Amino acid sequence: MRKVQFYGAVSMDGYLATTDERLDWLFQTEGAEEAPTEAFMAQVDTAIMGRHTYEYTMAQTTDQLINPYNPDTQSIVMTTKPHAGDDHTTFTNAELPALVKQLRQASGKNIWIVGGAGVLMPLLTADLIDDLYIQIAPVFLGDGISLFNHADYQRRFKLAATNQYGQLAEVHYTR
């Protein structure tokens, strides 16, 4: 069965981005380029994200690929206004946990959860996240786009590994 994995970075106070969606605080973190992003992305072939994450990523990339290490990665973009995609991108308003359950049963590599609470929290609540790879940059943003938001549940994960890449700390938790 395919694993469902979150992989992303946050500030020390738990933000993915500033309120105006900037990530310069992460890119200015010494060692961020040492993180094993390529190895992680090579083992996924499906990426699920919200529309804001998709649009930001497309605006920042010249190759228009969510996963440059596996160009055949299928992107599934969760949006309230689905529209036609292309060979590699599907825009949908499907019920996220049901969609992920279906994808887990299909053949393929692992599934990457990209972005923030809008996609991550319904999957945590439904107990569908197998791995969390959270990289922590040594910066407090004070405000921004949060990785986690309020939910009515409790989940315990097991610490699988900790790694340091320059000034970036990475924790890997498994279900």
Side-chain angles (χ1 to χ4, degrees):
M1 182 182 303
R2 302 165 77 183
K3 285 187 175 185
V4 179
Q5 302 172 304
F6 172 83
Y7 183 89
V10 295
S11 63
M12 288 176 63
D13 48 353
Y15 296 108
L16 291 168
T18 61
T19 54
D20 58 353
E21 300 180 354
R22 288 188 352 266
L23 295 175
D24 54 334
W25 58 271
L26 175 60
F27 302 131
Q28 294 167 0
T29 301
E30 181 269 316
E33 70 283 351
E34 298 171 26
T37 304
E38 182 176 350
F40 176 84
M41 289 190 174
Q43 53 92 40
V44 299
D45 67 1
T46 304
I48 301 174
M49 69 211 75
R51 182 183 54 82
H52 291 289
T53 298
Y54 176 78
E55 289 175 355
Y56 175 84
T57 304
M58 291 299 102
Q60 300 301 312
T61 63
T62 56
D63 57 14
Q64 300 297 286
L65 296 172
I66 288 294
N67 183 353
Y69 305 105
N70 182 356
D72 293 328
T73 296
Q74 293 295 308
S75 295
I76 299 173
V77 182
M78 306 306 297
T79 178
T80 57
K81 298 177 182 171
H83 54 84
D86 57 36
D87 289 343
H88 295 290
T89 307
T90 302
F91 296 88
T92 183
N93 63 355
E95 197 260 332
L96 186 54
L99 174 66
V100 168
K101 286 176 185 176
Q102 179 183 15
L103 289 169
R104 287 180 92 175
Q105 299 305 317
S107 63
K109 294 182 175 185
N110 293 336
I111 301 163
W112 174 29
I113 304 306
V114 188
V119 175
L120 180 60
M121 294 306 294
L123 298 175
L124 278 172
T125 301
D127 199 23
L128 291 171
I129 298 292
D130 297 301
D131 293 296
L132 292 158
Y133 292 87
I134 302 173
Q135 297 163 349
I136 305 162
V139 60
F140 285 95
L141 297 178
D143 196 8
I145 300 169
S146 209
L147 175 57
F148 302 105
N149 58 20
H150 176 76
D152 189 21
Y153 72 95
Q154 284 190 357
R155 289 282 175 269
R156 181 165 299 272
F157 281 75
K158 179 181 176 185
L159 179 63
T162 58
N163 295 291
Q164 181 177 349
Y165 307 105
Q167 291 297 302
L168 196 67
E170 180 183 78
V171 289
H172 172 201
Y173 294 104
T174 59
R175 182 158 52 110

